[in-house]
Amino acid sequence: MEETSSVAALSSSPSRQFHGDSVISVQEWQSWGTASPVPAMVSEIVEDLKALERESNATITFGGQGGKIQGELKITEDKKHRAKYQSLEDSEQKIQFFSARQVACRLLGSRDYLCQKCWLPKEDCMCSRIRCRTAWEGMRFWVYMHPKDFLRQNNTGKLLWQIFGVQAASLSIFGIIEHEEIMWNEFMRAGKKNVWCLYPNKDAAVNSVQDIFSQNTSTDPEIPTMMATHNEILHFILIDGTWSNSAAMFRRLKERANLVWKEDLSCISLTTGASAMHKLRPQPSWDRTCTAAAAASLLFELQSVPQLSSFGLAEQVEAVEDGLESLLEALTARRLRRGRSITRKVRHNRDIC
């Protein structure tokens, strides 16, 4: 999971104008790291913003890392979107609208500014340092991302599809219905026994990798065969958001799991330590870790299961760890160049989840 704050922001980004086509093409959308169609509500909000420009005879300006609207149209747009939000009848509609607006503003504010692969400003692009690897076909990561982390420069979940590809590590944004439906269709096809969420759920039993795979492979002779032949895929959900946002994200997953399977979502715990990114970004405590580091820890623990030792998981761990180091170096260099501190701010050890 990610933890970010205003203290951890890399620096003020230059203002960017809303320019170019008001339509988000499939090619543009998928270049940011997804294989889904363009979300309908995102397209609708982009069109509304362009209409506001025409009505006002002014140009919308974006600034900051979150694609925040600035300038003379900020107040007008803020009133319009708040009125729209208040007019929605139920909480589900509000979640979808909130998420779509966050994504739309980030897309427009990042055009021609961020690299579409690594989400860093183009002058700081780190793509050449990423080592792509073929993932084991028997597993798939789902980076379940909060919309406020979409296109965030210090987000680490993006490293997974940079390294393994969008079919092995898929982006699913909280509240973007097209993403969530694609993800849950895959989960329903796989069956509950093959879907696991990496989350410290205190309200239910949490299993370790050794609990699940070592015990199951010794008692069920069909499981090693399944893993060897790749007839089934193990799906692992990584909740990619701040620790304070993760509770709502996990609750949404649980509600859907109960609707689909009439049971809670199965959770898995890891023996994790602080990641390289912990040097730059604050976390609630030293035992918390970022999304990519959690994925590396999962791969590390999976490769210790004898039945999985031949799938090259150790090399995949190394690729993710190298990616994290490259991201840290790129972010650190940018901060130093702009005269920003790279010292981690001390935070109280508090239990958020």
Side-chain angles (χ1 to χ4, degrees):
M1 296 176 196
E2 311 291 355
E3 178 66 23
T4 54
S5 69
S6 58
V7 174
L10 290 180
S11 65
S12 297
S13 301
S15 296
R16 284 91 64 189
Q17 291 186 339
F18 178 8
H19 63 276
D21 197 338
S22 62
V23 175
I24 302 293
S25 68
V26 173
Q27 180 179 1
E28 178 183 0
W29 170 245
Q30 293 185 349
S31 294
W32 293 108
T34 179
S36 79
V38 182
M41 192 173 290
V42 170
S43 295
E44 179 182 331
I45 291 172
V46 170
E47 291 171 2
D48 289 344
L49 291 172
K50 199 64 177 179
L52 177 62
E53 280 194 332
R54 292 192 297 268
E55 294 167 6
S56 307
N57 195 28
T59 301
I60 293 178
T61 301
F62 297 90
Q65 292 192 54
K68 294 181 179 178
I69 295 176
Q70 299 181 338
E72 58 184 294
L73 290 183
K74 179 182 185 300
I75 295 176
T76 303
E77 194 282 331
D78 189 64
K79 289 180 178 178
K80 288 176 71 73
H81 96 256
R82 288 179 183 274
K84 170 70 173 178
Y85 182 86
Q86 294 298 329
S87 71
L88 298 174
E89 296 181 354
D90 59 44
S91 59
E92 177 59 27
Q93 290 177 322
K94 290 182 176 182
I95 287 173
Q96 292 182 25
F97 176 77
F98 167 80
S99 296
R101 183 180 176 277
Q102 291 286 330
V103 169
C105 289
R106 282 165 166 72
L107 285 171
L108 297 176
S110 300
R111 273 181 170 172
D112 299 325
Y113 172 58
L114 297 184
C115 169
Q116 290 184 292
K117 302 298 183 185
C118 67
W119 298 1
L120 296 183
K122 290 184 177 180
E123 66 267 26
D124 300 300
C125 177
M126 54 165 277
C127 292
S128 63
R129 299 182 236 175
I130 294 294
R131 294 187 300 144
C132 297
R133 287 289 182 271
T134 300
W136 172 43
E137 297 175 358
M139 69 178 294
R140 184 174 182 178
F141 287 119
W142 292 90
V143 182
Y144 191 47
M145 184 177 292
H146 194 274
K148 285 190 173 183
D149 280 85
F150 180 60
L151 303 188
R152 188 182 289 275
Q153 295 172 30
N154 61 1
N155 177 276
T156 67
K158 64 191 176 187
L159 291 170
L160 299 180
W161 59 79
Q162 279 190 279
I163 294 168
F164 301 123
V166 296
Q167 297 303 325
S170 301
L171 171 64
S172 181
I173 300 176
F174 172 86
I176 298 299
I177 196 65
E178 290 86 349
H179 272 188
E180 292 180 323
E181 288 304 309
I182 289 171
M183 180 174 69
W184 276 100
N185 285 340
E186 290 298 319
F187 291 169
M188 288 186 286
R189 186 176 296 113
K192 181 180 181 296
K193 65 184 177 68
N194 290 325
V195 179
W196 298 90
C197 183
L198 277 70
Y199 190 76
N201 182 14
K202 295 182 178 180
D203 298 324
V206 179
N207 299 280
S208 70
V209 168
Q210 292 297 327
D211 289 339
I212 297 165
F213 296 98
S214 293
Q215 292 178 13
N216 284 350
T217 52
S218 64
T219 59
D220 187 346
E222 293 183 2
I223 292 180
T225 303
M226 175 272 289
M227 292 178 174
T229 60
H230 305 157
N231 286 335
E232 295 187 41
I233 296 177
L234 303 173
H235 297 266
F236 295 99
I237 307 167
L238 300 163
I239 296 182
D240 191 35
T242 63
W243 283 94
S244 55
N245 285 332
S246 69
M249 298 172 72
F250 181 64
R251 184 166 58 249
R252 187 170 175 84
L253 290 169
K254 277 184 62 178
E255 290 171 354
R256 186 65 179 268
N258 275 284
L259 183 65
V260 172
W261 294 311
K262 312 300 181 186
E263 294 181 68
D264 278 346
L265 190 65
S266 299
C267 293
I268 189 169
S269 64
L270 300 173
T271 305
T272 58
S275 76
M277 287 295 293
H278 201 76
K279 301 172 186 176
L280 186 65
R281 296 184 331 185
Q283 296 280 351
S285 62
W286 280 101
D287 62 337
R288 303 303 194 190
T289 193
C290 66
T291 303
S297 294
L298 174 63
L299 289 167
F300 178 80
E301 293 189 27
L302 287 174
Q303 63 91 29
S304 67
V305 177
Q307 290 81 358
L308 307 182
S309 60
S310 62
F311 296 128
L313 299 180
E315 290 77 12
Q316 295 169 36
V317 172
E318 184 178 354
V320 175
E321 291 178 340
D322 288 348
L324 274 168
E325 288 289 347
S326 295
L327 178 58
L328 175 63
E329 290 170 5
L331 294 173
T332 301
R334 178 175 176 79
R335 292 188 71 133
L336 290 173
R337 191 173 71 247
R338 293 179 167 237
R340 304 280 293 182
S341 171
I342 60 170
T343 303
R344 177 186 180 273
K345 300 293 182 180
V346 176
R347 302 184 69 177
H348 295 293
N349 185 350
R350 53 195 175 93
D351 197 355
I352 290 179
C353 295

